[in-house]
Amino acid sequence: MGLFIAFEGGEGGGKSTQARALHRRLARLGLPVVLTHEPGGTALGDNLRRWLKQARELTAPAEFFLFAASRAQLAAEVIGPHLSQGGIVICDRFAPSSVAYQGHARGLDPGLIQAANEIATQGLRPDLLVLLDMAPEEGLGRKGSAKRDRFEREEVAFHRRVREGYLEMARADPQRWLVVDASLPRAQVTKIIWARVSQLLSQRRS
Ligand code: TYD
């Protein structure tokens, strides 16, 4: 079948929880599903992840190219092969994260980021992008202030630009994006996502 779903959004919106819940549900149905995440998911990506989250000196373009390198490896090693075998891939963050964070929030040209992303992904595009949308103050509050990484320590204005970037992408491509209010109770968010995914699955089957 081949179905590619990515979870996106700012900090503290519950992406990882929802991605895991969806993975569990699809696996219970006996479907061939893998759950992976960015940055990481490969040996190269896991190394880059450590660097990206803690490095002191990193220019915005250098930061982008490290995320893109992690993405390129993940797309080639994990996502592409699984999809071509007809499986389902769930990815916790993907190419739009770079458009929102390195583009809209860090100030690189979002159009150029999108174009460079195409090199990394070799044209792999999610069939569904789930945006867990939430006010940054609430998301960061949920995460608490202990052990914040480089991104979580950014000012609220940075996180507002991330949010606006995502909303702009979702408005431009409403067919592929499902925007969910992440401040709703967790079970309700899960239900909204499942409604869309099960619809996609039955479309694929018919
Ligand atoms: P992670 O712990 O995965 O954060 P989260 O749980 O919020 O997904 O850390 C990844 C951080 O990297 C996160 O703050 C968002 C940021 N990021 C980018 O800036 N650009 C990117 O392309 C990606 C994939 C992540």
Side-chain angles (χ1 to χ4, degrees):
M1 175 175 36
L3 185 65
F4 182 14
I5 303 167
F7 282 79
E8 292 285 356
E11 313 296 325
K15 283 182 308 302
S16 309
T17 308
Q18 293 297 337
R20 277 197 302 270
L22 180 61
H23 177 255
R24 262 197 311 276
R25 187 151 191 177
L26 293 169
R28 270 205 304 264
L29 291 174
L31 295 168
V33 57
V34 294
L35 172 62
T36 188
H37 63 275
E38 277 206 18
T42 64
L44 174 72
D46 290 340
N47 277 303
L48 292 175
R49 177 184 179 85
R50 242 167 286 144
W51 191 274
L52 279 160
K53 290 188 68 146
Q54 304 304 342
R56 294 240 169 89
E57 311 283 331
L58 209 49
T59 64
E63 183 180 271
F64 166 69
F65 284 114
L66 294 184
F67 279 116
S70 170
R71 178 166 306 133
Q73 202 66 24
L74 185 69
E77 260 184 44
V78 180
I79 304 175
H82 196 72
L83 291 176
S84 45
Q85 285 164 21
I88 304 173
V89 175
I90 301 172
C91 198
D92 186 350
R93 294 195 179 279
F94 194 59
S97 283
S98 284
V99 179
Y101 281 80
Q102 282 65 54
H104 291 270
R106 289 262 194 254
L108 299 179
D109 179 338
L112 285 179
I113 297 279
Q114 218 139 20
N117 269 337
E118 297 279 320
I119 302 175
T121 59
Q122 298 282 295
L124 281 181
R125 290 177 93 214
D127 301 287
L128 173 65
L129 288 150
V130 179
L131 173 57
L132 293 174
D133 177 58
M134 172 180 267
E137 292 84 349
E138 191 179 344
L140 291 165
R142 278 187 181 186
K143 283 218 156 175
S145 52
K147 291 220 290 201
R148 286 193 169 184
D149 67 26
R150 255 169 15 91
F151 295 96
E152 289 153 3
R153 287 196 299 268
E154 288 289 343
E155 57 195 12
V156 175
F158 175 93
H159 295 284
R160 288 207 186 104
R161 293 195 293 276
V162 168
R163 184 186 196 192
E164 278 312 310
Y166 275 125
L167 290 171
E168 196 178 308
M169 282 184 268
R171 277 194 297 269
D173 191 3
Q175 304 276 43
R176 276 200 317 143
W177 285 86
L178 171 68
V179 182
V180 187
D181 176 355
S183 64
L184 291 170
R186 189 199 285 182
Q188 204 172 331
V189 173
T190 307
K191 216 168 146 184
I192 295 169
I193 296 169
W194 180 248
R196 182 62 169 268
V197 172
S198 52
Q199 187 192 12
L200 268 178
L201 286 171
S202 49
Q203 277 170 6
R204 291 289 156 115
R205 284 197 189 107
S206 60

